[in-house]
């Protein structure tokens, strides 16, 4: 048990603003089902939902979404969430985007400040220009708990474009990582364009007209003011992060592939390897130690918050094989993964 005054450890897998929970609750209500029992089941009180700073872990949000799908009987509830989303549901970042000059600029603004409402161990969403491609990274491997997260994010982006542009046709193509669930017709009807499942990444290619389509609420001065405020919010959120914590965030997103060497990580921060080592030494840690700590924290959260197999977790953490993962786990916690999962599951709140 942690001491009463000890700070809570951040969930390594990521967290999400209750602003997104509010959208989910509206989607459940839209399906003719009262959301109150679901919210109570997950200990989400009106006071929590009224706090713009409140967040829940991404795995908890995934379980809530899965429960909502079972409650409503609609496997495509993520699309309903997208349809009901508004710029204000993304907080100040959504309002900043809505005031941008063009629809493409609006979505780029929303994505630029995504960390203000969500943090994902696999990485933050991104957008490249010419052509305009918006990418989203979800926790893998995919299962019935996280399909709706991908659906809701991509649908929210498309709805955001529709809202700010006043046009219905805003996307040329959509790609979704998880395999087909037999819903192609429903998805293509909703997005209004081809939708490809089993893709290499989750992404939306914007209609080429979005780059020149003026936002209905474009206002240069307001956009600039809100962007500055979002930038300050982002700095405040990251101000308490040590260099080691910032490195762990980057490592968490890359473990399933080959973790970057010290020199590559140093380059990401604009530092020489020697300088990075010196800064980390001042914090009392080393790069290899950070890599090990990142794996340790992720392993504990995967076991406590998901039903992934040990082989899947081993792969996600970049181990050569499950045996290597089991050996490392015993070194970290002095207990086998199976035994620890039973303990953690018993202690984990909904």
């Amino acid at each position: 048990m942690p001491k009463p005054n000890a700070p809570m450890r951040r969930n390594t897998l990521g967290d999400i603003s209750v602003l997104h929970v509010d959208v989910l609750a509206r989607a459940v209500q839209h399906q003719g089902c009262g959301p109150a029992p679901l919210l109570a089941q997950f200990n989400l009180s009106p006071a929590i939902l009224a706090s713009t700073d409140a967040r829940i872990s991404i795995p908890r949000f995934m379980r809530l979404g899965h429960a909502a799908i079972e409650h409503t009987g609609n496997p495509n509830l993520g699309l309903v969430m997208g349809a009901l989303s508004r710029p204000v549901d993304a907080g100040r970042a959504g309002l900043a985007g809505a005031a941008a000059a063009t629809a493409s600029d609006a979505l780029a603004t929303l994505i630029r400040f995504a960390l203000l409402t969500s943090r994902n161990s696999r990485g933050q969403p991104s957008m490249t220009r010419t052509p305009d491609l918006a990418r989203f990274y979800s926790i893998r491997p995919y299962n019935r708990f996280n399909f709706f997260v991908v659906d809701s994010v991509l649908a929210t982006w498309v709805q955001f474009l529709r809202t700010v542009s006043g046009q219905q046709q805003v996307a040329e193509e959509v790609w979704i990582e998880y395999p087909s669930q037999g819903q192609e017709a429903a998805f293509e009807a909703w997005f209004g364009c081809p939708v490809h499942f089993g893709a290499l990444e989750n992404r939306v290619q914007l209609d080429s007209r979005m780059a020149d389509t003026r936002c209905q609420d474009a206002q240069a001065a307001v956009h600039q003011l809100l962007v500055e405020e979002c930038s300050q919010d982002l700095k405040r959120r990251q101000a308490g992060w040590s260099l080691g914590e910032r490195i762990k965030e980057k490592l968490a997103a890359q473990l399933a592939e080959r973790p970057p060497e010290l020199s590559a990580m140093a380059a990401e921060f604009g530092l020489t390897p020697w300088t990075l080592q010196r800064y980390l030494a001042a914090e009392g840690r080393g790069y290899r130690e950070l890599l090990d700590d990142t794996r340790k924290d992720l392993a504990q959260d995967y076991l406590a918050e998901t039903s992934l197999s040990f082989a899947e977790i081993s792969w996600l953490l970049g181990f050569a094989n499950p045996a290597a993962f089991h050996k490392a786990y015993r070194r970290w916690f002095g207990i086998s993964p199976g035994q620890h999962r039973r303990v953690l599951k018993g202690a984990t709140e909904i």
Side-chain angles (χ1 to χ4, degrees):
M1 286 290 290
K3 296 178 180 179
N5 295 324
M8 293 295 291
R9 184 177 69 85
R10 277 191 313 179
N11 189 288
T12 319
L13 301 180
D15 51 46
I16 191 166
S17 168
V18 294
L19 291 171
H20 296 283
V21 175
D22 186 63
V23 179
L24 176 58
R26 292 206 306 271
V28 171
Q29 186 74 54
H30 185 269
Q31 298 297 288
C33 304
L38 273 178
L39 298 176
Q41 178 187 345
F42 284 80
N43 300 322
L44 294 167
S45 67
I48 292 176
L49 296 178
S51 172
T52 55
D53 293 327
R55 293 193 173 212
I56 65 173
S57 74
I58 285 181
R60 186 180 177 193
F61 181 65
M62 286 161 46
R63 291 195 296 274
L64 173 62
H66 178 64
I69 287 172
E70 291 191 325
H71 186 53
T72 62
N74 184 355
N76 299 331
L77 194 63
L79 299 184
V80 180
M81 289 176 64
L84 296 176
S85 65
R86 309 160 300 177
V88 72
D89 293 318
R92 189 176 280 134
L95 298 177
T102 69
S104 291
D105 292 337
L107 185 59
T109 301
L110 183 72
I111 290 174
R112 173 184 171 188
F113 296 112
L115 189 60
L116 295 178
T117 56
S118 66
R119 180 181 60 84
N120 186 344
S121 65
R122 196 178 158 205
Q124 290 303 115
S126 63
M127 182 167 169
T128 54
R129 310 300 293 266
T130 316
D132 290 327
L133 285 169
R135 295 175 171 85
F136 171 68
Y137 307 97
S138 178
I139 292 177
R140 289 183 298 178
Y142 286 100
N143 53 47
R144 65 187 187 281
F145 291 97
N146 56 1
F147 293 155
F148 97 96
V149 176
V150 176
D151 301 347
S152 64
V153 170
L154 300 187
T156 293
W157 286 351
V158 167
Q159 184 61 39
F160 182 77
L161 289 167
R162 288 170 174 166
T163 299
V164 300
S165 69
Q167 297 182 19
Q168 183 67 16
Q169 187 60 44
V170 297
E172 290 187 3
E173 283 188 275
V174 172
W175 291 264
I176 293 176
E177 273 188 319
Y178 67 76
S180 169
Q181 303 299 300
Q183 298 293 320
E184 283 87 347
F187 273 68
E188 293 194 348
W190 195 92
F191 284 102
C193 66
V195 178
H196 311 285
F197 290 87
L200 294 177
E201 61 183 357
N202 302 305
R203 66 177 181 176
V204 175
Q205 181 171 341
L206 278 59
D207 187 293
S208 59
R209 294 171 297 178
M210 293 297 99
D212 299 316
T213 299
R214 184 173 175 80
C215 288
Q216 296 188 112
D217 294 328
Q219 217 296 331
V222 172
H223 173 68
Q224 184 60 36
L225 174 64
L226 290 172
V227 164
E228 290 174 0
E229 291 179 352
C230 286
S231 297
Q232 291 302 314
D233 287 347
L234 197 57
K235 287 180 180 178
R236 281 193 291 271
R237 176 165 291 277
Q238 296 176 318
W241 295 10
S242 66
L243 176 61
E245 288 171 328
R246 291 163 64 196
I247 289 175
K248 286 179 71 175
E249 286 283 315
K250 289 183 176 294
L251 284 171
Q254 301 178 56
L255 285 178
E257 289 77 36
R258 184 177 179 180
E261 295 295 330
L262 173 66
S263 57
M265 183 61 71
E268 289 198 41
F269 287 90
L271 302 171
T272 65
W274 183 86
T275 303
L276 179 61
Q277 286 180 311
R278 180 164 56 86
Y279 285 158
L280 290 177
E283 295 179 5
R285 57 179 75 187
Y287 186 67
R288 291 298 171 189
E289 179 187 355
L290 283 175
L291 177 58
D292 195 57
D293 285 347
T294 304
R295 282 177 163 148
K296 175 183 176 181
D297 290 343
L298 282 169
Q300 181 174 345
D301 285 336
Y302 275 128
L303 257 67
E305 302 252 30
T306 77
S307 298
L308 296 176
S309 70
F310 299 140
E312 289 171 325
I313 296 173
S314 171
W315 174 76
L316 286 167
L317 299 183
F319 283 99
N321 52 60
F325 166 63
H326 278 255
K327 182 177 179 180
Y329 205 91
R330 279 194 175 275
R331 172 171 58 84
W332 292 328
F333 299 105
I335 190 173
S336 74
Q339 291 171 310
H340 204 188
R341 170 169 266 172
R342 288 190 289 272
V343 173
L344 293 171
K345 288 289 188 181
T348 302
E349 294 182 359
I350 292 175

